[in-house]
Amino acid sequence: MNKIHRNYKRLSIWILLFTQILLIMSYFYLKVDNVALKSEKISFVNSPQEEQIKLTYHTSDSRIFLKSINSRTKFIDFNSSLCYTNGTDLVSMKRSKQFNWQCNCLPGWHGKDCGQPEVIWRALLTYRKPLKITGPRTFERRIIYVFSVDKFSETIAEIRINELGSIVDLFILYEDKRSDFLQHKLNNNFAKQYHDKILYLKTNNIDNALHLVKNLRDDDIILNSNGNEIPNKFAINFLKYYNKWPEPIRFRLRWSVYGFFWVHPSKTIITGGACSVSYLRGVFNNRIKLLNDNKTLSNPLYKGIILGDLNHYGGWYCEYCYDIAQILELLATKFHNAINLEKMHQKKIDNAFLEDLIENGLYIDGKTELLRTHRYRDSYFAPYYVMENNWNYDFLLINLYSKIDYYEG
């Protein structure tokens, strides 16, 4: 009896052990199978052929509506005085124990309401005809800035989008219809912070771009400039709040070369343009590119105004502000007319030649002497965004090929 009991007990143990082995094998089989199913599912969802990029910027298929903003948000009321907040010495006015019957302007600001930055005030003073600027308006004018972007102008485009992003309502960025450089950049987060303000187009669609803005107003502003230009943000901002300024507007830009540390001996260049939508329609027949055509704008028929002079600039023109490899690539193109290509090959323009030009302050022709600028003494040395983010743009602020500039910077 005891023997039978022992055999039964032994058999029970073996059955229990066998059952446990089966359970363990079943668990691992089911787990591996489940993982395989999951991996197949994930692979299917993330298939590169099926996945599409979700655009966060506007395209030719978009319907765009610009915001209407009350101008009073940028002004403050002191008794009977309406003062532009950014141009007014609010501290001294608030400390004053007397009634403030007029606005107390900060240095570099002018006008009854302190709304005219230096560059605007000087332009209005030198204008040959009497002007009666009125404002502030009830609602801000919206600014639409149109310019092309390619691999040579990528850095300057990044700077001006960030420099003007808070005051421009829509950037219309375009590129040649045969290129996809800009589109690729936008898809990889170029100027991501401002994608809701960016409309991407090809060159052939520019003249129809404004049709995509469904609430466009006649008094909105169109601004157009070349690839290496950065307009003065304060000059542009003034146009938003005031009426009866002369049209069209052109800009006298500081002419920097290789970086902001050298200036061309001519010092400035007049280029770019801005006007109201009604002016664009009535005078330029909606052709936006005419706003940046010097032959057109220099015609006496277009009696506009130039913003900027030799000491207070309407912005910056940064010529050859690329790395050495890009300058060489640009000079090798058929479309570049700055120097004679035949002579270029005779002179053997290479890395060493360009480094010598940048170090010693010679223009691309190898003859014209450039003027040195002073980073900490010159109030118009570079755009504000560049100065505030100098660690990203040291190659534009410091002459890296000059030991003196490098160590001083």
Side-chain angles (χ1 to χ4, degrees):
M1 186 72 179
N2 288 336
K3 186 176 181 181
I4 294 173
H5 179 73
R6 285 196 301 272
N7 288 338
Y8 178 76
K9 187 175 181 180
R10 189 178 299 168
L11 180 62
S12 299
I13 292 171
W14 279 105
I15 291 172
L16 181 61
L17 181 62
F18 183 71
T19 302
Q20 288 178 338
I21 292 172
L22 282 176
L23 288 172
I24 293 171
M25 290 178 63
S26 300
Y27 170 78
F28 280 107
Y29 176 78
L30 290 172
K31 184 175 181 181
V32 170
D33 192 47
N34 190 41
V35 169
L37 287 171
K38 285 184 178 179
S39 64
E40 286 178 11
K41 185 177 180 181
I42 293 170
S43 177
F44 174 77
V45 170
N46 288 334
S47 172
Q49 296 178 349
E50 297 292 333
E51 186 177 354
Q52 292 185 350
I53 296 173
K54 184 179 179 181
L55 301 183
T56 54
Y57 54 88
H58 301 287
T59 67
S60 57
D61 296 323
S62 300
R63 289 168 55 85
I64 301 171
F65 293 88
L66 302 180
K67 295 178 181 179
S68 291
I69 301 175
N70 194 307
S71 296
R72 290 295 296 268
T73 60
K74 303 300 189 300
F75 291 78
I76 187 168
D77 196 351
F78 281 97
N79 302 322
S80 62
S81 301
L82 190 64
C83 307
Y84 180 58
T85 304
N86 290 344
T88 304
D89 188 348
L90 300 178
V91 175
S92 66
M93 291 187 72
K94 288 178 180 178
R95 283 178 180 171
S96 176
K97 296 179 181 179
Q98 301 176 348
F99 279 108
N100 296 294
W101 297 113
Q102 62 181 13
C103 303
N104 190 6
C105 299
L106 289 168
W109 291 88
H110 305 270
K112 185 179 179 181
D113 57 7
C114 300
Q116 296 178 18
E118 189 81 23
V119 64
I120 291 288
W121 181 69
R122 295 171 72 92
L124 297 178
L125 277 180
T126 56
Y127 192 66
R128 295 180 181 179
K129 293 184 178 181
L131 292 171
K132 292 184 179 180
I133 304 296
T134 62
R137 298 158 45 86
T138 302
F139 289 96
E140 296 179 7
R141 296 174 187 263
R142 283 85 62 87
I143 297 178
I144 299 172
Y145 190 7
V146 185
F147 59 90
S148 64
V149 181
D150 58 23
K151 60 183 177 182
F152 298 111
S153 61
E154 177 191 353
T155 299
I156 299 300
E158 178 186 58
I159 290 171
R160 62 176 149 183
I161 289 172
N162 284 281
E163 176 85 353
L164 303 173
S166 61
I167 61 175
V168 168
D169 298 88
L170 181 66
F171 292 99
I172 299 179
L173 310 184
Y174 65 93
E175 65 180 336
D176 188 274
K177 60 184 179 181
R178 295 166 295 182
S179 173
D180 61 356
F181 171 82
L182 175 56
Q183 185 176 29
H184 176 74
K185 283 290 180 180
L186 288 170
N187 289 342
N188 285 276
N189 297 330
F190 175 73
K192 179 72 173 180
Q193 180 183 352
Y194 295 104
H195 273 202
D196 61 327
K197 289 187 174 185
I198 291 176
L199 167 60
Y200 165 76
L201 294 174
K202 295 292 187 179
T203 308
N204 54 321
N205 291 327
I206 290 304
D207 287 335
N208 296 319
L210 297 183
H211 294 302
L212 300 175
V213 182
K214 300 306 177 183
N215 63 338
L216 192 67
R217 297 194 301 239
D218 285 346
D219 58 2
D220 288 335
I221 300 167
I222 307 300
L223 171 64
N224 183 220
S225 60
N226 289 324
N228 293 329
E229 298 167 13
I230 307 166
N232 184 313
K233 66 186 296 184
F234 297 114
I236 298 297
N237 196 50
F238 169 84
L239 305 178
K240 294 174 75 79
Y241 305 113
Y242 299 91
N243 294 321
K244 297 186 178 180
W245 35 264
E247 299 184 67
I249 285 175
R250 301 170 73 196
F251 299 89
R252 184 184 292 276
L253 308 177
R254 180 180 175 126
W255 188 349
S256 299
V257 184
Y258 307 130
F260 299 110
F261 42 83
W262 290 122
V263 171
H264 193 277
S266 297
K267 293 187 178 179
T268 66
I269 183 170
I270 298 176
T271 183
C275 71
S276 65
V277 169
S278 60
Y279 191 95
L280 184 73
R281 288 170 176 164
V283 179
F284 291 146
N285 195 26
N286 275 332
R287 290 178 292 175
I288 295 175
K289 289 186 178 180
L290 288 182
L291 267 176
N292 196 29
D293 188 331
N294 283 334
K295 290 182 180 178
T296 300
L297 295 179
S298 59
N299 190 318
L301 291 174
Y302 306 108
K303 299 176 182 179
I305 191 170
I306 296 175
L307 302 184
D309 56 38
L310 289 175
N311 296 308
H312 302 83
Y313 304 99
W316 295 262
Y317 171 66
C318 202
E319 190 177 23
Y320 303 115
C321 290
Y322 324 122
D323 60 36
I324 296 290
Q326 282 188 308
I327 296 176
L328 286 171
E329 185 179 355
L330 178 66
L331 293 176
T333 63
K334 302 178 186 178
F335 312 105
H336 191 76
N337 299 316
I339 61 174
N340 185 293
L341 290 178
E342 203 173 306
K343 289 184 178 180
M344 183 186 93
H345 292 302
Q346 291 174 4
K347 287 185 178 181
K348 194 180 179 182
I349 292 183
D350 55 13
N351 284 38
F353 178 79
L354 289 175
E355 288 176 8
D356 185 65
L357 294 186
I358 297 172
E359 178 184 359
N360 296 296
L362 292 175
Y363 191 58
I364 201 72
D365 59 9
K367 299 178 181 178
T368 306
E369 293 184 6
L370 303 175
L371 305 176
R372 186 182 296 275
T373 60
H374 302 282
R375 179 177 178 183
Y376 299 107
R377 283 184 280 167
D378 189 346
S379 57
Y380 284 86
F381 180 78
Y384 299 94
Y385 178 77
V386 176
M387 297 296 286
E388 290 169 357
N389 297 271
N390 57 80
W391 56 89
N392 287 331
Y393 303 104
D394 57 346
F395 65 100
L396 295 176
L397 298 172
I398 303 170
N399 187 347
L400 299 176
Y401 299 99
S402 169
K403 292 181 180 178
I404 296 175
D405 285 14
Y406 181 80
Y407 288 111
E408 284 183 353

